[in-house]
Amino acid sequence: MLNGRTAWSAECSLQILSTLKICQKHPEILCLCTRDTLFVWGDILIELLSEGLRLHPQHLKGLDCTKNMVNIGHYYPACPEPELTLGGGKHSDPTFFTILLQDDIGGLQFLHHNCWVGVTPVPGALLVNIGDLLQVISNERFKSAEHRVVANLTGPRISVASFFSGSKTCTRLYSPLKN
Ligand SMILES: O=C(O)CCC(=O)C(=O)O
Ligand SMILES: [Fe+2]
């Protein structure tokens, strides 16, 4: 807090720092993760997801699924006793979908048939995670998988998540698609 105000600049610079640190390690992905490019990926993805539901390619876009995107940078310091803690607790994303850029440290795990399965980092790859809103809209044909981040002896680990979650001022009611 700064004079009673939230120190938003610290969060903001952390986010930029995270993106820059990843880009320093993998300069080839710089063009993948600008805000404009992420909106393009979002539009391509939502078309594919619409088609996956046998809908018109623009159907989900018409529900404003890609209208708003929030970027959050994560910084997980190296941990001397990783088994005693977690980098990020178990959750599902309350979004339509999330595009995630992670560095090469690893630690992200998804819950699959009651087992935690690690996501091996692939240099330059963006990871797409279905969120709760898309699970509801798709009538559970797409699943919003629970995930967590384990702490690592090595680090820091850095990731940047781009959350596509509709407009903050949206008053639209979402419900499962009729079959
Ligand atoms: O840091 C990660 O790999 C995952 C972060 C995450 O799950 C989130 O921001 O919702
Ligand atoms: Fe998440």
Side-chain angles (χ1 to χ4, degrees), residues 7-8 12-13 20 30 42 55 68 78-79 108 123 133 139 141 146-147 159 172:
W8 65 270
C12 190
S13 53
L20 286 179
L30 192 57
L55 298 168
N68 191 46
C79 175
L108 177 62
L133 279 167
N139 236 326
R141 282 163 72 193
E146 288 184 302
H147 52 285
S159 67
R172 185 194 279 271

Side-chain angles (χ1 to χ4, degrees), residues 118-139:
V119 180
T120 309
V122 177
L126 294 172
L127 190 141
V128 177
N129 186 18
I130 301 289
D132 300 340
L133 279 167
L134 206 49
Q135 172 164 322
V136 169
I137 291 181
S138 71
N139 236 326

